[in-house]
Amino acid sequence: MKKIHGIYGAPRGHWVGDGFPVRSLFSYDRLGADHLSPFLLLDHAGPHDFAPASRPRGVGAHPHRGFETVTLVYKGELEHRDSTGSGGRIGEGDVQWMTAGAGIVHEEFHSGNFTQQGGTLEMVQLWVNLPAKHKSAPAAYQTLLDADIPRVALPQRAGELRVIAGEYRGHRGPAHTFTPIEVWDLRLEPGTETTLRVPEGHTTLLVVLEGTVQVNGDAVVREEAVVAFQRQGDEIRLEANSDAKLLLLGGEPIAEPVVGYGPFVMNSETEIHQAFAEFQAGKFGRLEG
């Protein structure tokens, strides 16, 4: 059994652009990079109701370098463009997995249909660090549609687990990752129990987005909280006291320095300065149109 290392609540929310009211459920500058590795940050946006509008809300062109962003949509619809010429639209259950790598410029907005019709938006965005040898990887983009993400029924009708990255009970997620990572999207039924096997030695984080769960038989964890586990052990036990929506994040730690400044995450101050210089020189590319 993996023992609980700590339980963390979220600070007050803030807006990212005019389209995403978020709470940062964890971040490397608040909880420590070594503690979270290979993960850096997780923002939970919404649920928030938007009225119909004539102009899409969101975040305009901005750069990233040295890591990946993983955006999972629970409700609503987003459109994305980046300087590689990639992009597209993702809706409920879909995931966009963007590798910033050596540098990218992108924008994220509510889709045209969602803007016109209005509705509820809810999503999470996870930042995943890249090891030094992959921080210069070419920028890339993966669209992971809900229909292509394996679903695993949990024993005793406890709920369902979607395997976005990693493997669970013989089902492998569609995401390509640079280091071993688990991203599992769970729904638990009220009054049920389940035990999840997770890799020994991996960082393991349980994110409670909705509902209340009891973890390892004693800790009661409510929504907008994160449970961090010790790396020893290979099981966690969950009991749902209500309908619960959870994310299980796991990964092999990256034993390297983490130096971040805004949208860049590198291994040294020198590399941060270099990232700024290359962005300003236009080496990350630009959005067309």
Side-chain angles (χ1 to χ4, degrees):
M1 187 77 66
K2 280 187 181 286
K3 294 182 179 180
I4 294 174
H5 179 83
I7 301 173
Y8 308 99
R12 295 181 61 184
H14 62 279
W15 281 83
V16 176
D18 63 357
F20 306 108
V22 308
R23 298 181 74 182
S24 294
L25 301 189
F26 65 75
S27 61
Y28 68 97
D29 54 352
R30 183 163 63 96
L31 299 183
D34 291 343
H35 185 44
L36 298 174
S37 181
F39 306 110
L40 297 166
L41 174 149
L42 182 76
D43 282 346
H44 182 205
H48 186 86
D49 294 329
F50 288 91
S54 58
R55 179 185 61 83
R57 304 175 178 94
V59 183
H62 59 284
H64 288 298
R65 183 172 181 177
F67 62 99
E68 301 185 286
T69 67
V70 181
T71 304
L72 167 57
V73 176
Y74 289 105
K75 295 179 181 178
E77 196 173 69
L78 302 178
E79 289 183 351
H80 160 89
R81 290 195 309 143
D82 65 44
S83 53
T84 71
S86 297
R89 181 184 301 119
I90 55 172
E92 184 172 335
D94 298 337
V95 177
Q96 67 175 32
W97 196 297
M98 186 184 77
T99 302
I104 198 168
V105 177
H106 79 140
E107 64 178 22
E108 298 166 291
F109 285 95
H110 299 178
S111 72
N113 287 339
F114 184 82
T115 297
Q116 293 173 9
Q117 297 174 10
T120 302
L121 177 74
E122 183 182 11
M123 51 166 273
V124 296
Q125 185 170 94
L126 172 69
W127 289 16
V128 180
N129 198 15
L130 290 171
K133 65 182 179 180
H134 294 307
K135 286 188 181 291
S136 58
Y141 176 77
Q142 302 174 68
T143 300
L144 312 176
L145 299 179
D146 181 42
D148 298 325
I149 297 173
R151 284 175 156 80
V152 182
L154 298 174
Q156 309 301 316
R157 298 183 178 180
E160 183 179 76
L161 183 154
R162 293 198 312 151
V163 188
I164 296 168
E167 183 177 355
Y168 187 74
R169 293 175 57 191
H171 299 267
R172 178 162 291 279
H176 165 78
T177 65
F178 287 86
T179 57
I181 287 172
E182 299 83 47
V183 178
W184 301 341
D185 175 32
L186 292 98
R187 300 293 189 282
L188 298 182
E189 298 291 332
T192 62
E193 294 185 23
T194 194
T195 298
L196 301 178
R197 291 191 63 85
V198 292
E200 172 80 31
H202 277 203
T203 297
T204 303
L205 306 170
L206 179 72
V207 182
V208 182
L209 298 171
E210 184 178 303
T212 303
V213 295
Q214 190 174 59
V215 181
N216 287 353
D218 52 12
V220 176
V221 185
R222 294 175 173 82
E223 61 187 34
E224 304 284 27
V226 177
V227 184
F229 295 87
Q230 296 180 11
R231 289 174 178 146
Q232 297 77 23
D234 62 1
E235 288 185 347
I236 61 173
R237 189 167 71 251
L238 304 175
E239 179 181 350
N241 299 328
S242 59
D243 289 311
K245 179 165 64 181
L246 315 169
L247 270 179
L248 192 289
L249 306 174
E252 183 177 89
I254 300 171
E256 295 175 354
V258 174
V259 179
Y261 190 91
F264 306 139
V265 180
M266 305 301 291
N267 297 105
S268 69
E269 293 284 352
T270 299
E271 291 174 342
I272 291 291
H273 294 310
Q274 181 182 5
F276 270 103
E278 292 184 2
F279 167 62
Q280 291 167 350
K283 293 185 178 181
F284 290 12
R286 58 181 54 85
L287 293 175
E288 300 297 332

